[in-house]
């Protein structure tokens, strides 16, 4: 079983719609959860982080964490073509020193 | 400007060459990381340094040799690489090894082994 799992996509959404990305993880003791965006040929850039159960909103992005079910999700509202990228879920282990990444979900926003 | 600078941005080397990748962070962080990103694969952790001490070596072949002379600089020395080592090599840093803060990535070095 992979430690952090994401659907590879591509997830195709029309411009203006909501993109919903999911991530599941296996380490029940995980403490921290991150979403990174990576454009083709570029390095990952941090979008959001969440540590507690529930929702966290930042602009058009909302991260949702459910530790009991071991999943974290990212919602992108009012999707724009510039949101087309690969979104990486990263999970910090119980010791905090290591981030494990999922394989990423490719998102395509069509005008 | 990410605060983490990697050089060179692109590198092509033969299997018998020796080269080094350099990473410098200007964020005052104490922990530095090397990750490898191959096509169609998740980011793979290679090495972790905390306060210049290596705290993790994720079963990386000895043809990759890290060096951390101080908390701002990290090197990855390469020798006798294989074509399957071609990948994007990413350096990252964070304030401390044991805390839950996010990683800050450099722009990466695209390595091609011929």
């Amino acid at each position: 079983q992979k430690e952090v799992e994401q659907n590879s996509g591509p997830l195709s959404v029309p411009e203006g719609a909501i993109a919903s990305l999911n991530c599941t993880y296996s380490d029940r003791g995980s403490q921290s959860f991150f979403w990174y965006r990576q454009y083709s040929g570029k390095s990952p850039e941090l979008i959001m982080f969440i540590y507690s159960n529930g929702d966290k909103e930042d602009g058009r992005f909302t991260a949702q964490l459910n530790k009991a079910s071991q999943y974290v999700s990212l919602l992108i509202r009012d999707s724009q073509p510039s949101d087309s990228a690969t979104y990486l879920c990263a999970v910090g282990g119980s010791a905090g020193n290591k981030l494990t990444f999922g394989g990423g979900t490719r998102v395509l926003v069509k005008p | 400007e990410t605060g983490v600078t990697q050089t060179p941005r692109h590198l092509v080397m033969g299997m018998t060459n020796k080269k080094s990748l350099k990473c410098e962070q200007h964020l005052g962080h104490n922990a530095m990381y090397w990750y490898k990103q191959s096509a169609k694969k998740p980011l793979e952790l290679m090495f972790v340094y905390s306060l210049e001490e290596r705290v993790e070596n994720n079963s990386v072949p000895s043809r990759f040799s890290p060096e951390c002379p101080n908390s701002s600089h990290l090197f990855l020395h390469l020798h006798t690489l294989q074509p399957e080592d071609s990948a994007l090599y990413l350096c990252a840093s964070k304030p401390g090894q044991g805390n839950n803060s996010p990683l800050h990535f450099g722009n990466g070095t695209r390595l091609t082994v011929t």
Side-chain angles (χ1 to χ4, degrees):
Chain A
Q1 181 190 6
K2 294 180 184 176
E3 295 182 60
V4 180
E5 292 207 52
Q6 297 180 254
N7 188 320
S8 61
L11 175 66
S12 184
V13 296
E15 185 174 358
I18 296 176
S20 178
L21 294 78
N22 294 316
C23 171
T24 58
Y25 59 94
S26 59
D27 182 359
R28 188 168 286 278
S30 298
Q31 302 284 335
S32 52
F33 307 86
F34 306 90
W35 284 99
Y36 286 83
R37 177 175 63 199
Q38 187 174 25
Y39 292 112
S40 181
K42 303 293 185 181
S43 62
E45 55 179 325
L46 181 71
I47 297 176
M48 293 204 61
F49 58 90
I50 187 168
Y51 301 144
S52 304
N53 277 330
D55 295 0
K56 180 180 178 182
E57 186 174 318
D58 184 358
R60 295 186 296 112
F61 299 98
T62 299
Q64 299 173 316
L65 175 61
N66 185 323
K67 289 186 178 181
S69 300
Q70 294 176 244
Y71 82 79
V72 55
S73 61
L74 179 70
L75 300 178
I76 308 173
R77 289 183 301 282
D78 188 24
S79 295
Q80 302 296 308
S82 58
D83 294 326
S84 297
T86 297
Y87 290 79
L88 305 175
C89 172
V91 177
S94 48
N97 61 328
K98 179 178 168 181
L99 276 190
T100 302
F101 284 81
T105 297
R106 186 168 163 230
V107 172
L108 294 174
V109 180
K110 298 187 175 179
Chain B
E1 178 59 47
T2 66
V4 181
T5 304
Q6 288 186 246
T7 55
R9 295 293 304 274
H10 301 273
L11 178 62
V12 179
M13 59 186 289
M15 289 190 283
T16 58
N17 291 158
K18 289 184 180 181
K19 297 286 185 183
S20 296
L21 310 184
K22 179 182 176 182
C23 176
E24 182 175 0
Q25 59 94 2
H26 310 276
L27 301 169
H29 291 169
N30 290 324
M32 296 188 77
Y33 299 71
W34 280 116
Y35 279 87
K36 174 185 178 183
Q37 189 174 36
S38 304
K40 311 281 187 188
K41 286 186 176 182
L43 277 163
E44 300 172 60
L45 178 64
M46 300 177 74
F47 300 104
V48 180
Y49 276 83
S50 177
L51 296 171
E52 301 121 60
E53 179 181 342
R54 190 190 309 180
V55 296
E56 183 146 354
N57 174 347
N58 210 28
S59 302
V60 179
S62 59
R63 57 185 183 269
F64 295 92
S65 174
E67 178 190 1
C68 187
N70 56 62
S71 59
S72 298
H73 294 85
L74 185 65
F75 295 89
L76 188 63
H77 304 299
L78 316 171
H79 65 97
T80 59
L81 294 191
Q82 304 299 311
E84 60 264 29
D85 296 322
S86 298
L88 180 67
Y89 288 84
L90 291 161
C91 174
S93 70
K94 65 185 225 174
Q97 176 228 339
N99 66 36
N100 291 321
S101 50
L103 286 171
H104 297 257
F105 284 93
N107 287 322
T109 295
R110 173 70 62 185
L111 174 67
T112 303
V113 181
T114 60

